[in-house]
Each structure stands twice: as structure tokens, then as C-alpha cells.
Amino acid sequence: MLGSEPVPVRAALGRVLAEPVVSTLDLPPFDSSAMDGYAVTAGGFRTLAVRGESRAGRPSEAPLEPGAAMRISTGAVMPAGAEAVVPVERTEPVEPDRVRCPAVEPGTNVRRAGEDLSAGTTVLGSGAALDPPALGVLAALGLGAVTCARRPRVAIVATGDELREPGQNLRPGQIYNSNSVALAAQARAAGAEVLSEAIAGDTPDATRAALRAALDAADVVCVSGGVSVGAHDHVKPVLAELGVAERFWGVRLRPGKPTWFGVAPAALVFGLPGNPVSSMVTFHLFVRPALRSLQGAEPTDTRTWAIADSPLARNASREQVVRCRLAAEPDGWHVRPTGEQGSHRLTSMLGAAAFALVPAGEGTVAAGERVEVELLPVV
Ligand code: AMP
Ligand code: MG
């Protein structure tokens, strides 16, 4: 866990509470009308004199006169002595200032103080992610700021002699550095602050300089590329030299096989495969949960089951992460691959709302069979 800090509610979208929020107010704060109409005592069908008014924000100072009805608006304080509200459309004016009212039970169309939330209740626990409804509730309680987990600081290092930043001209054999842009966006969506994005050429010196700077500044370092077994993959030896202890290298996952993870004294380090799909998939499955945990939030995204619309071939030795669209059908959720699934095909991530998790094994998940899916965050 990282430390905590006060955050203005208006700036807290996506942040994670570091302390529970206990209501100091009843919501609604007072008994109020749910309708525009007349505040009355409970009783049978009758004709009542109309006396006084209670409006939203302007309560009646006088109580309800015996045998009378008081005009009242939605959200206005119930006057003393009133037990129910008759909506205006259920009444009938008979002469100036007299209305016919139907029979009404006590409490009808009255919102009781505290029926939504009573003072002293824990409304949001520590670890709650602040979404628009949560921000609305915090504002309804009159809070201007809340204590949130500090955002993890992320440094991104993209390795590769072939990389150029978008906007530059490409020479033969070069490609644009798309991983840093996609990873930075994923990091922000997970609640992190992205401190830096560096490109390191494929030499030990360039790799060392970029990784040292990243380790000095960040809580979480994401390296893209250079973690395979190629002659120009320098990330692992340089990280070892910089005192980062390897925890694992290689996962039985497709895409994502060469994923590397290690720990430095003050940072977690993820070595993500360079292929653009692999880097995004492994960020989602490994880095995002770490970033959520560091903030004290629930680490994993929702997993459920969906019906495969087309056959999904299994891989003999590795679990597969198939990028899928989700469709709501009468018999529930269905998934279908976004398209061709090569780990270099970045457009297979476009429109993907879920990862289908196809277990390793022989044969296929047949069309119509259920497959486990992880729902991707909606940003
Ligand atoms: P590597 O993991 O370094 O062997 O890279 C695997 C593949 O991913 C190669 O085709 C690289 O050109 C490509 N790649 C590596 N880094 C990036 C990046 N930052 N943006 C786009 N593609 C990349
Ligand atoms: Mg490379």
C-alpha cells in the first residue's frame, strides 16, 4: 500500500478511498414530499381548505391547520401536523382555495429523513473506487474532500532500436512506439500517475541509463520489449545488475509468454513482451492488478462466463487470451473474437470488451459452449 492524501471530491474520479466514509447526515436530511400536491392528515375522501405553502428550500413556518391542506412541492419539508401528500393530479379544485382529496394513508408520498442513508452509516468502505455515483453520494453528504490512496507513480521504458515517437519521420525498418502510448493510457485508467516515458536503444548502456532513471523515480516500472532471448535483449541482465530481484520469467500464456517480474527495494518491475498485443494483454493481467492493489482496491476485474459464437482453438500448452466483442443475446452474453489474433495485430484490441480465457489443452471450445471471460475496464 502507498500512502494517502486528501483529494477534492471534484477531482476524485477514479481514485480509491484510503479511509471509510461515514455519513454525518441523514439522507434525505428531513421528512419531505415526493410529489407536487397537498400536505394533509391521513383520512378518507374529503374536501379541504387550502392554507399556506411549503416549497423546496422554503419550508412553511406555520404547521398544517386542522382540517386544511397545504400546497407542497417535491423536496419541500413536510409541515408539522401533516401525515401524507396527495399529488395535485389526484385532487380536484372545487371553489377558490378548496380541493377535493381522495382517501390517503399515513406516509403516502412522504420521503422519510434518513431512509436513503442514516447518519452514522459507513456508506463507502476503504478501498472503494470512486465512480460517478460515489462522487454524487459524497457531494450529497456535503463533503468537499476525501482521503484517497496516493496514485502509484509509473515509469515506462520502451526498448528497441527500431522505435520512433509518433510525429517523427520513419527511416527504413523503423516503427512507431505505440506501446508507450497504450501502456500509459492503461496505467492512467488503473489510477496511476505516469511520470515518464523513455525509449532505450538496444545496448546495455542505453538500457541501464533508462532503467536506472525509472527505478529512481517510480513505484512501478513497466519495460516493453527486450525480455525475450534475442541477442539484443538486454533488459534482464541490466535489471539484475541494478539489484532488481527476479520473481518470475515466462508465463504459460498466449500472448505473453516472456513476461518478466521482479522487485527492487522501492519499486515493482514488469518486463512486458514487445509485441503490441502482448504488452497490452500482460499489462492488463499483471500490472493493472498490482496498481489496483497498491491503492488498496480490489485487484481483479470481473470474471464471468459467456457463450462462444465461433469455435476457439485451444493451445496445447498455454492458456490463451482471445480479444472479443461482447454481444447481449436473448440467452445471455456471447463473445466473438475481434478478428485475427496474432500478437502483432494491434487492431485486434480495438473494440475488445472482454478477454476470453481459453484453457490450454487439445481441440477447441466449440461454438455454443461457455467460456470464461474477463471484462475489460470501460474508460
Ligand atoms: P521484443 O520483445 O523487443 O523482441 O519485440 C517484439 C516485437 O514487438 C518486435 O516486432 C518489436 O518491433 C515490437 N515492439 C517492441 N517494442 C515496441 C513498441 N514500443 N511499440 C511497438 N512495437 C514494439
Ligand atoms: Mg526489441
Side-chain angles (χ1 to χ4, degrees), residues 47-340:
T47 300
L48 297 168
V50 177
R51 296 276 184 273
E53 184 172 25
S54 179
R55 292 168 56 181
R58 298 193 193 183
S60 165
E61 276 161 28
L64 178 67
E65 282 181 28
M70 185 184 288
R71 283 191 190 84
I72 194 162
S73 352
T74 307
V77 177
M78 288 295 286
E83 296 170 305
V85 171
V86 180
V88 75
E89 53 274 31
R90 299 209 47 217
T91 65
E92 203 185 317
V94 275
E95 51 197 74
D97 292 339
R98 284 179 76 76
V99 278
R100 245 197 281 275
C101 288
V104 62
E105 308 262 314
T108 304
N109 296 316
V110 178
R111 298 168 176 167
R112 293 288 174 211
E115 72 179 14
D116 185 14
L117 188 63
S118 53
T121 308
T122 300
V123 58
L124 291 165
S126 180
L130 297 177
D131 56 5
L135 297 187
V137 168
L138 296 175
L141 293 176
L143 296 172
V146 281
T147 306
C148 294
R150 179 168 75 68
R151 299 200 295 160
R153 298 189 187 111
V154 170
I156 296 170
V157 178
T159 69
D161 282 338
E162 72 278 35
L163 301 178
R164 301 280 282 165
E165 290 298 359
Q168 298 178 332
N169 291 326
L170 294 184
R171 290 199 297 276
Q174 295 183 326
I175 59 168
Y176 289 118
N177 171 19
S178 57
N179 287 358
S180 294
V181 174
L183 293 173
Q186 286 181 294
R188 290 192 185 100
E193 176 189 354
V194 177
L195 291 183
S196 60
E197 294 174 33
I199 291 182
D202 288 318
T203 65
D205 284 349
T207 307
R208 189 181 302 109
L211 291 178
R212 185 175 280 143
L215 285 167
D216 279 348
D219 304 304
V220 173
V221 176
C222 283
V223 189
S224 123
V227 285
S228 300
V229 289
H232 307 289
D233 290 340
H234 303 294
V235 171
K236 290 196 305 123
V238 166
L239 283 172
E241 198 188 297
L242 293 174
V244 183
E246 177 178 303
R247 289 294 165 85
F248 65 78
W249 178 43
V251 291
R252 271 211 293 275
L253 199 63
R254 186 171 180 238
K257 187 176 170 193
T259 303
W260 187 97
F261 174 65
V263 291
L268 303 177
V269 184
F270 292 88
L272 308 178
N275 272 306
V277 174
S278 316
S279 82
M280 289 196 77
V281 165
T282 53
F283 184 100
H284 176 82
L285 293 176
F286 296 98
V287 188
R288 180 178 160 87
L291 294 174
R292 302 305 290 161
S293 287
L294 284 169
Q295 296 169 85
E298 171 59 39
T300 37
D301 286 279
T302 304
R303 286 199 178 180
T304 179
W305 293 80
I307 297 167
D309 269 346
S310 52
L312 302 170
R314 295 187 203 272
N315 178 278
S317 56
R318 288 191 278 157
E319 180 171 349
Q320 287 184 99
V321 180
V322 181
R323 287 77 75 196
C324 288
R325 293 183 201 291
L326 266 181
E329 303 287 351
D331 60 345
W333 289 103
H334 285 226
V335 279
R336 108 178 13 183
T338 48
E340 290 294 332

